Amino acid sequence: MAQWLQSPPGRYLLAWEQAQLDRTVTDLFGFHALQLGLPDLEGLRANRMPHRWVASDTLREPEALPLPEVDEALSTLLPMGAGNALHCDFDALPFPSQSLDLVLLPHTLELARDPHDTLREVERVLVPEGRLVIVGFNPASLWGLRQSAGHLRQRLGLGGPLYLPSAGEFIGYPRVRDWLRLLGFEVERGRFGCWRLPLRSDKGLARMAWLETAGARGWPVLGAVYLVEAVKRVRGMRLVGLARRQKVGTRAAPAVVANREPHAWHRVMPAPLGRAPQPQPHEPQEQD
């Protein structure tokens, strides 16, 4: 994938992804952030968390890519050093549960050995309300259709190079949203980019620059790449502040007044039809 990112369409894609990631992670705060995969992309360079790591499942040295310059308003004051690189399996991260505040997956699910296990492991290490940012190719785009046509030619024995990287399997945007919901994530926002035609030369891509504005307005979901930002939600969790002591006043018991008058029983005789029953007079009791 790093070699493809040095091609004209790769540089065009890399510029869009780097700009979007810089604007996305610069306002995400916490203490620990992790970029999982694609160490050639500096996805956390604009983040302000004090502890940031870049993990890879291969021992390949990152290549110097033509990254766009970071905006000075978004630049962090804590540059990342070479000692922050990790080598680990994506489905067995060396972090305790609920210990990371931000995880970035740049094309990680497409290249992972098992994307389901990778997402479950990311959900384990994220703290409640932790952030997850995913970047991937959109198979429902012109770039994805050209890639599918290239695979079909190879299966038919016609040959020909592929337009996009051959490694991995592209995962659609709706499918990623369904996986995130099953794991308890809430998708906050998703955006698409790179609407130019799948051409191989810089001149051809430059002539299609007008499609950026037209695609964003007319057919945004047909962009060649998508970015998803999700939040880990924990159901039943409630933030409680300091409990205040409340003085419970004693209530006076209601007074009971005894009825000193004797009960007088009245007998009601059945009245004939058409007449209302008349009350019987009170008969005085004899005194001894």
Side-chain angles (χ1 to χ4, degrees):
M1 177 116 183
Q3 296 180 355
W4 181 85
L5 289 175
Q6 297 179 2
S7 63
R11 292 193 298 267
Y12 161 60
L13 182 82
L14 184 64
W16 185 89
E17 290 184 356
Q18 188 68 64
Q20 295 297 323
L21 289 175
D22 289 344
R23 286 195 291 265
T24 301
V25 303
T26 187
D27 294 330
L28 302 182
F29 299 98
F31 296 96
H32 306 91
L34 172 66
Q35 175 179 334
L36 197 60
L38 198 60
D40 312 276
L41 178 68
E42 298 179 4
L44 298 176
R45 68 179 186 179
N47 188 257
R48 295 177 174 86
M49 295 188 188
H51 306 287
R52 293 166 293 166
W53 299 275
V54 178
S56 176
D57 58 349
T58 63
L59 298 177
R60 179 184 59 85
E61 290 292 334
E63 299 183 10
L65 298 178
L67 298 175
E69 296 183 0
V70 63
D71 189 358
E72 294 182 357
L74 304 177
S75 179
T76 177
L77 300 178
L78 299 173
M80 297 184 61
N84 294 337
L86 301 176
H87 175 260
C88 61
D89 294 331
F90 292 166
D91 53 0
L93 299 178
F95 294 95
S97 300
Q98 300 184 2
S99 60
L100 299 180
D101 301 283
L102 169 63
V103 176
L104 174 61
L105 303 179
H107 301 280
T108 307
L109 298 180
E110 303 164 358
L111 304 175
R113 179 174 50 191
D114 192 334
H116 298 88
D117 291 344
T118 301
L119 269 183
R120 280 192 291 265
E121 188 68 6
V122 169
E123 189 274 337
R124 181 188 66 83
V125 299
L126 272 177
V127 299
E129 305 300 320
R131 299 282 177 158
L132 173 62
V133 180
I134 301 176
V135 180
F137 285 109
N138 182 18
S141 63
L142 294 179
W143 291 32
L145 292 178
R146 180 166 180 176
Q147 183 77 354
S148 300
H151 283 295
L152 180 60
R153 289 196 305 269
Q154 290 183 354
R155 286 195 295 267
L156 296 177
L158 302 178
L162 298 176
Y163 184 73
L164 297 176
S166 58
E169 179 182 358
F170 299 161
I171 304 174
Y173 175 75
R175 191 177 177 187
V176 172
R177 289 177 61 98
D178 293 341
W179 289 358
L180 293 175
R181 290 173 181 174
L182 290 176
L183 291 176
F185 285 92
E186 179 182 349
V187 178
E188 280 199 341
R189 64 181 56 91
R191 62 179 68 98
F192 294 82
C194 300
W195 291 277
R196 304 184 190 184
L197 296 180
L199 305 176
R200 294 187 179 275
S201 62
D202 290 325
K203 293 182 179 180
L205 291 173
R207 287 196 301 266
M208 298 298 168
W210 62 274
L211 287 175
E212 294 293 332
T213 305
R217 295 179 178 178
W219 49 90
V221 296
L222 298 181
V225 64
Y226 60 84
L227 184 145
V228 181
E229 183 180 352
V231 183
K232 177 183 176 180
R233 302 296 189 189
V234 178
R235 305 301 177 186
M237 186 176 180
R238 183 179 180 184
L239 299 179
V240 181
L242 296 178
R244 298 180 179 179
R245 294 183 178 180
Q246 298 181 357
K247 295 182 179 180
V248 180
T250 58
R251 298 180 180 179
V256 179
V257 180
N259 188 6
R260 298 181 178 179
E261 296 182 359
H263 295 281
W265 298 93
H266 303 277
R267 297 182 60 187
V268 179
M269 299 299 295
L273 296 176
R275 297 179 57 185
Q278 300 295 329
Q280 298 294 330
H282 177 69
E283 299 178 357
Q285 298 180 358
E286 296 181 357
Q287 301 289 336
D288 292 340

